[in-house]
Amino acid sequence: MGGDGGADPVIHFVFVHGASHGAWCWYKLTTLLDAAGFKSSSVDLTGAGISLTDSNTVMDSDQYNRPLFTLLSDLPPHHKVILVGHSIGGGSVTEALCKFTDKISMAIYLAAAMVQPGSIPSPNLSNFHVGEEEIWEYIYGEGADKPPTGILMKQEFRRHYYYSQSPLEDVTLSSKLLRPAPVRAFQDLGKLPPNPEAEKVPRVYIKTAKDNLFDSVRQDLLVENWPPSQLYVLEESDHSAFFSVPTTLFVYLLRAVSFLQR
């Protein structure tokens, strides 16, 4: 969405995936948006999706988020985007919001980590993708005597925690495409310094009501700690709303951005 001056009238959504997923997970939503005349982009963060980087070699959030930062820095002058992040991808959205404030007209958090820059993150968030220990497989890319470099949900738990309301075809698709997430990229989640300019950008939170991974109590805590300008609830959604309720999510996104045009 354009800024002042030579504004671009096209509303442009940029989607950021969560742990282990990639740009591929947004395929239903980007299809709906493109068919409706909007512009959409989805990025593979470093080591995710079809990125050629081994996720075990990703050392920090800056390296992990580089594809998103490159996309934003390459935008034409006065061109702004609606940035949408899922799950732990909310951390990437907030980092981008602080680094590229003038390129973002709205930040939307979908069942996502939404932590105010400069605040003290809740212990629940530092363990955002740990949950019950037995559901995770740890990858020790630098040897068993070193800390883990990657984390991946075990296949037998994915249906329940990620996709309990999603079509089986999407569960099958994801089983072929999920990759270990780089643990070290998430160590700084919620540890950004205060950023008054980023605070001025409108934020939206979209809650997933039937989420078995990121429960309602923790989502409500995020909203309470950093109140957004708009709050929506996807009553029938599991953790992966882009699979389980893509049409409702599409409608909510359009409703959210309509406030920018008032």
Side-chain angles (χ1 to χ4, degrees), residues 73-126:
S73 65
D74 288 347
L75 289 172
H78 308 295
H79 187 91
K80 291 191 176 188
V81 301
I82 314 293
L83 193 55
V84 184
H86 175 245
S87 198
I88 209 164
S92 302
V93 166
T94 306
E95 281 203 41
L97 193 58
C98 292
K99 289 177 183 287
F100 298 94
T101 311
D102 62 336
K103 294 293 187 182
I104 300 166
S105 56
M106 176 176 278
I108 301 179
Y109 295 80
L110 172 62
M114 182 179 68
V115 182
Q116 184 177 23
S119 67
I120 300 173
S122 159
N124 281 338
L125 269 182
S126 61

Side-chain angles (χ1 to χ4, degrees), residues 15 27-41 250:
F15 293 96
Y27 79 98
K28 291 182 176 180
L29 207 55
T30 55
T31 300
L32 289 168
L33 288 164
D34 293 349
F38 299 96
K39 181 177 175 60
S40 67
S41 304
F250 167 72

